[in-house]
Amino acid sequence: MGRRTITLVPAMQTVLKPGTGDDSVIWQQLDAKKSQTAQRHLHKKPLRPLKVGETVRIQPI
């Protein structure tokens, strides 16, 4: 989870302690992400094979 903003408003001590939250929520988010990725990969076209002597461009990292 993200950091809470600094404020002068009083907060409960349990809110101020760090925690990862409920594991079931985390697993649901991971499953949703996997299904979105799988759905996105269904519509991709495979790359054609390169020919000998063909110009290739790369991006610098």
Side-chain angles (χ1 to χ4, degrees):
M1 305 308 271
R3 289 180 144 193
R4 292 197 174 258
T5 57
I6 298 173
T7 180
L8 298 176
V9 177
M12 294 176 46
Q13 289 295 322
T14 55
V15 174
L16 299 176
K17 293 182 182 177
T20 57
D22 189 14
D23 287 341
S24 65
V25 173
I26 294 171
W27 285 111
Q28 286 176 352
Q29 290 174 346
L30 286 174
D31 289 340
K33 186 175 182 179
K34 285 181 184 178
S35 67
Q36 287 175 355
T37 303
Q39 194 68 22
R40 194 169 49 241
H41 286 282
L42 284 177
H43 302 290
K44 290 198 171 196
K45 293 191 294 187
L47 296 174
R48 62 177 177 81
L50 294 174
K51 297 176 185 172
V52 176
E54 189 172 355
T55 304
V56 177
R57 297 180 182 159
I58 61 171
Q59 269 187 327
I61 295 178

